[in-house]
Amino acid sequence: MQAQLIALDWGTTSLRAYRLGENGRVLEQRSLSAGIMQLPSTPRRVAGQLCSDGFELAFDEACGDWLDAQPTLPVIACGMVGSAQGWREAVYQQTPASVAALSSALVTVRSTRGVDVHIVPGVLQRSELPNVMRGEETQVLGILSALSAEQAARPMLIGLPGSHSKWVRAVDARIVHFDTFMTGEVYAALSSHTILGRTMQRSDAFDAVAFDRGVAVAQSTEGAAGPLSTIFSCRTLGLTGALAGTAQPDYLSGLLIGHEIVALVQLLRQHEQHLPSVILIGSGPLLERYQRALHANGFPQVNLAEQATERGLWQVAVQAGLISSPSVAAARPLHVEN
Amino acid sequence: MQAQLIALDWGTTSLRAYRLGENGRVLEQRSLSAGIMQLPSTPRRVAGQLCSDGFELAFDEACGDWLDAQPTLPVIACGMVGSAQGWREAVYQQTPASVAALSSALVTVRSTRGVDVHIVPGVLQRSELPNVMRGEETQVLGILSALSAEQAARPMLIGLPGSHSKWVRAVDARIVHFDTFMTGEVYAALSSHTILGRTMQRSDAFDAVAFDRGVAVAQSTEGAAGPLSTIFSCRTLGLTGALAGTAQPDYLSGLLIGHEIVALVQLLRQHEQHLPSVILIGSGPLLERYQRALHANGFPQVNLAEQATERGLWQVAVQAGLISSPSVAAARPLHVEN
């Protein structure tokens, strides 16, 4: 089947490439470790020329054969590839941000093989404490574009758990506000570089009881002490025999994700009386943790969404006029799991 | 002048030794790096015998010559030397803890030279989230014993800033409650092992403006997002040109200490309407930071206290009957700086 677009999700540590067909259907996908901080460095021939540029090499690895087969395929990319340390800087667009706004601000870099790569800019929120994202905006727009007009009109909270979790408030299919929590990175630093790691015993199995206990502490009266204090209980509960070493990693995870969600609720309550419905983007075990913590904190509805990046890149490409086919405007309905 | 007591403040990374005279006056003091996690290991002769035990070697380095001169001097020690990883475990005493309670629970280890070392137990609080301390309890008792009966009767908050800050509530010269904040260790982990460290430029000078800005953020509406979120502003304020790299370390310090004090206020408000007067124990630049953050959060009175450890060890030794002199009961008035 003929492709219509090559879409690249190009972050700090990984590069995912999608060959998309009619209506954005995924025909083929690849995952490379060639993020912008670990680009290939061995010079070789690209499009007939000896090349040593890491971005060119990674780009060719990711989709050179696809372009050999269809040399006129448009290419779009999002993520850290557009940062100051990326292939070409795509200056942040300010909130509120929509598909239309981002589509009209694509930045182009011409590759050695003569193909233009269109880079989606990140989003900057000039609040008292500014916030930035690169890549997540495309995922969010991918989700929003798949909602019905009625769904999109309601205030909605979109969560992107990760090393730096993002919580995005959207109204009328536009990103109006977002917050960042460094929960994942803080967890890694605490586990590996503080006294808490010394008594932890790693285990592959998820200890749901320990995790839920951490979440409950964050919500409790004792949780008012905040994460700087409650995390010490990993150690003291261990000392008093009330928490096994094997339970400590997931207890700490529950504490931190719990404090994140408790704080998120406080921020939401500054604006709204009712908690909004939530869509969580991503996949895998981290989403289960966030689902548990959200339910424990009273969020009435939490849906999961997948394939957000490739949907978002497709939508931006359509809006930017990179794709000529008449079939493209029809968005598929959002696949939602409860 | 004849000494009456050898007092050892023996922690994880350091060992401080005091030769105390009448009324606990400090005649001589030494600071060694021989904490229980970095004991000397080169075997040598101690009291005529070849010795390779790290505790014996460190003890001899710290005060062997003092004991050679006065072999019957009593010796008392506090800190991690009494932990399960220490010279001899002195099992935690539970709150409420007083000088009398700790004095009657000393644990003794006989050294190679035949001298007994009396170890002060740490304190355990069996609250929902347990808390422990070793060494700080002795400092607190040192401060409390120097207060007038009238002063001691009032509820009081004693702060011990450090890698793990302790906040101790005392009534009637007894430790009734305490909380731990891992602020110092979290600061170190964030600065050295997360993305925040990448844009920080270290500077020896204290940037009070940056520090106060961090404290103010923790107190603000945005601060409700909690430290897991606000710390990301070190990076984003840097990206938007609103915070220089040289200002980022003290801004982060202000954020974390600010969140600690905001949480402390919340905990105190669960019990009392008015903020108590505070005594901060310690010395050096960290105390200045805590003073600033306490004042910014409305604490009406913050006093500084020094020499808390040697005072506390003296008081416990007196109460335990280790010192026979009749002059010992008179506590010197507390030296307080505003």
Side-chain angles (χ1 to χ4, degrees), chain B residues 73-141:
Chain B
L73 265 185
V75 180
I76 192 166
C78 70
M80 292 299 281
V81 67
S83 69
Q85 296 78 40
W87 200 352
R88 178 72 42 95
E89 185 170 5
V91 175
Y92 290 112
Q93 296 295 298
Q94 290 190 36
T95 49
S98 62
V99 168
L102 292 182
S103 304
S104 65
L106 298 184
V107 167
T108 300
V109 56
R110 176 149 296 182
S111 67
T112 294
R113 67 162 64 229
V115 170
D116 283 343
V117 178
H118 301 274
I119 301 178
V120 183
V123 174
L124 164 67
Q125 171 178 278
R126 288 208 177 275
S127 41
E128 191 67 30
L129 302 184
N131 248 308
V132 292
M133 57 182 166
R134 277 200 189 273
E136 294 95 343
E137 74 294 329
T138 303
Q139 296 182 276
V140 170
L141 296 178

Side-chain angles (χ1 to χ4, degrees), chain B residues 240-314:
Chain B
T240 56
L243 188 71
T246 51
Q248 289 173 26
D250 284 330
Y251 174 71
L252 179 62
S253 170
L255 275 179
L256 294 181
I257 292 176
H259 279 295
E260 175 182 341
I261 304 300
V262 167
L264 180 68
V265 169
Q266 274 210 268
L267 294 178
L268 291 167
R269 297 273 193 219
Q270 291 176 358
H271 302 278
E272 297 269 348
Q273 203 181 344
H274 299 290
L275 293 176
S277 68
V278 173
I279 296 177
L280 281 183
I281 297 180
S283 59
L286 190 56
L287 252 58
E288 185 191 338
R289 292 170 189 254
Y290 274 85
Q291 265 189 303
R292 297 180 83 92
L294 287 162
H295 281 135
N297 278 274
F299 282 85
Q301 198 184 353
V302 180
N303 294 316
L304 304 187
E306 291 175 332
Q307 298 193 305
T309 313
E310 51 269 43
R311 283 164 179 276
L313 285 165
W314 176 261

Side-chain angles (χ1 to χ4, degrees), chain A residues 254-265:
Chain A
L255 276 179
L256 294 181
I257 292 176
H259 279 295
E260 174 181 341
I261 304 300
V262 167
L264 180 68
V265 169

Side-chain angles (χ1 to χ4, degrees), chain A residues 216-240:
Chain A
V217 166
Q219 295 178 268
S220 71
T221 318
E222 286 74 27
L228 293 171
S229 178
T230 60
I231 55 173
F232 192 58
S233 67
C234 292
R235 180 170 175 76
T236 57
L237 288 169
L239 283 172
T240 57

Side-chain angles (χ1 to χ4, degrees), chain B residues 219-243:
Chain B
Q219 295 178 267
S220 71
T221 317
E222 286 76 24
L228 293 171
S229 178
T230 60
I231 55 175
F232 192 58
S233 67
C234 292
R235 180 170 175 77
T236 56
L237 287 169
L239 282 173
T240 56
L243 188 71

Side-chain angles (χ1 to χ4, degrees), chain B residues 158-240:
Chain B
I158 299 171
L160 301 101
S163 172
H164 295 180
S165 297
K166 303 285 183 190
W167 289 98
V168 180
R169 293 210 289 272
V171 180
D172 288 333
R174 295 189 313 168
I175 295 170
V176 295
H177 180 93
F178 62 101
D179 292 293
T180 304
F181 291 80
M182 286 180 59
T183 310
E185 199 176 6
V186 170
Y187 176 81
L190 293 178
S191 306
S192 302
H193 301 287
T194 72
I195 197 173
L196 301 182
R198 285 198 218 151
T199 51
M200 282 185 180
Q201 293 170 279
R202 313 289 164 148
S203 156
D204 285 340
F206 173 52
D207 185 336
V209 173
F211 179 84
D212 291 347
R213 184 174 174 184
V215 171
V217 166
Q219 295 178 267
S220 71
T221 317
E222 286 76 24
L228 293 171
S229 178
T230 60
I231 55 175
F232 192 58
S233 67
C234 292
R235 180 170 175 77
T236 56
L237 287 169
L239 282 173
T240 56

